[in-house]
Amino acid sequence: MGARAGPAAVLGLVALVALWPGARAGCAEEGRCCPGRDSTCVATGWRLSRAYGTCFCDEACKTTGDCCYDYAQACPALPCIVGEWTQWSGCAGQCKPNLRMRTRVIRQEPKNGGDPCPPLEEKAGCLEYTTYQGQDCADEHVPAFITTSEYSRERKKRAVHPRWSSETEDSRSYCVEFRTETLSPHCSVESRPYARWMQYLREGYTVCVTCQPPAMHTGRHRCSGDGSDADGNAVLQWQAVGNPLCHGTWKKVQQMEECSCPLVHSFIFT
């Protein structure tokens, strides 16, 4: 019986295999490039791990680590390419906060592990103030313009409204409690000293908004956007005065004579 081949003989065989014309066969020579995970998408050649034998040419080989040595060159990664956004659609409904939408299409599907497609649909809030017949919407759907409760002190100091006096303030003012549903990201990043109060607006939080005589409609003695005629399921809009990019929606919880929220979650109608 012949002796078992020693280390030098084994290295020599490996060298011969490497020089053999078919030894470096891979994805390119086999013409294989397969999407996803495909156990039949195979070739014979060197792997990136320097092991010789069966190697793969499917996208999953990059995860499993058994790609053929030439996978990256034979199957280059192609990213997803999308088209431009369409124009925004009209509001989905009139006289109540709703959604508008825009879309884009895929121009090139991703291949060989290329970057996936970004979202193809985008939605944004909207509100139409007139019906299809051109009639004005009800006041409960007019956005509530709010500012910090600290401004209440400035109102007293400056007496900006001739109808407002200390006698009418207590008798006419009222508070509305809302639960915030959504808000734009611009609220939390507001850093200007006079507008930092916007950082205290949070989704899911209960806030109190005071309606004072300077902000009331003459005769009605109510503030726009207070949801006076809306039920508890109506989604209403609000906007922060001083930063139109800080806005959102909320639902009315109840109306009270006096606010009970912490100071940082208390605001006033403007």
Side-chain angles (χ1 to χ4, degrees):
M1 294 179 63
R4 188 185 298 270
V10 172
L11 290 175
L13 288 173
V14 171
L16 287 174
V17 170
L19 293 173
W20 180 47
R24 290 183 60 82
C27 300
E29 186 166 327
E30 296 289 341
R32 309 301 298 273
C33 281
C34 307
R37 188 182 187 92
D38 186 348
S39 59
T40 66
C41 193
V42 298
T44 300
W46 290 100
R47 294 184 181 181
L48 293 176
S49 62
R50 298 183 181 180
Y52 183 82
T54 300
C55 56
F56 291 82
C57 304
D58 61 340
E59 286 183 280
C61 74
K62 294 194 295 184
T63 302
T64 55
D66 50 12
C67 295
C68 295
Y69 75 95
D70 66 341
Y71 176 79
Q73 293 74 35
C75 310
L78 298 177
C80 176
I81 298 178
V82 297
E84 297 294 328
W85 287 110
T86 62
Q87 295 294 322
W88 284 104
S89 68
C91 202
Q94 279 65 49
C95 293
K96 62 180 180 179
N98 218 302
L99 293 174
R100 56 180 178 168
M101 184 173 67
R102 63 178 183 174
T103 59
R104 54 186 174 183
V105 298
I106 297 175
R107 300 297 187 192
Q108 174 182 281
E109 294 281 356
K111 293 183 179 180
N112 307 324
D115 293 338
C117 294
L120 302 177
E121 182 179 280
E122 190 173 61
K123 296 179 179 179
C126 62
L127 178 65
E128 298 287 353
Y129 294 97
T130 57
T131 65
Y132 289 121
Q133 292 74 33
Q135 297 175 336
D136 291 336
C137 297
D139 284 344
E140 64 263 25
H141 299 303
V142 175
F145 291 93
I146 62 172
T147 189
T148 172
S149 60
E150 293 296 315
Y151 185 63
S152 176
R153 300 177 183 177
E154 292 298 315
R155 277 179 168 170
K156 294 178 181 179
K157 185 187 303 182
R158 299 177 186 177
V160 296
H161 201 290
R163 293 187 297 105
W164 194 33
S165 66
S166 57
E167 290 77 22
T168 61
E169 176 188 352
D170 294 335
S171 61
R172 292 184 180 177
S173 294
Y174 61 91
C175 180
V176 184
E177 190 177 280
F178 296 96
R179 180 171 294 105
T180 55
E181 296 287 310
T182 63
L183 75 160
S184 65
H186 298 280
C187 303
S188 61
V189 298
E190 179 58 77
S191 59
R192 292 174 294 176
Y194 64 88
R196 287 176 183 164
W197 59 271
M198 300 176 194
Q199 298 178 2
Y200 296 103
L201 291 161
R202 294 286 190 277
E203 289 186 6
Y205 278 34
T206 298
V207 299
C208 293
V209 188
T210 301
C211 177
Q212 298 170 333
M216 293 179 180
H217 287 293
T218 304
R220 294 182 61 238
H221 304 304
R222 304 205 65 87
C223 291
S224 296
D226 69 350
S228 58
D229 299 324
D231 59 35
N233 292 320
V235 179
L236 309 171
Q237 288 195 340
W238 56 266
Q239 181 177 311
V241 172
N243 182 359
L245 296 178
C246 176
H247 55 81
T249 60
W250 56 23
K251 290 184 178 181
K252 179 180 177 181
V253 177
Q254 61 179 330
Q255 178 177 320
M256 306 171 289
E257 290 186 6
E258 296 182 1
C259 293
S260 59
C261 297
L263 184 61
V264 293
H265 295 145
S266 296
F267 311 96
I268 61 173
F269 289 98
T270 59

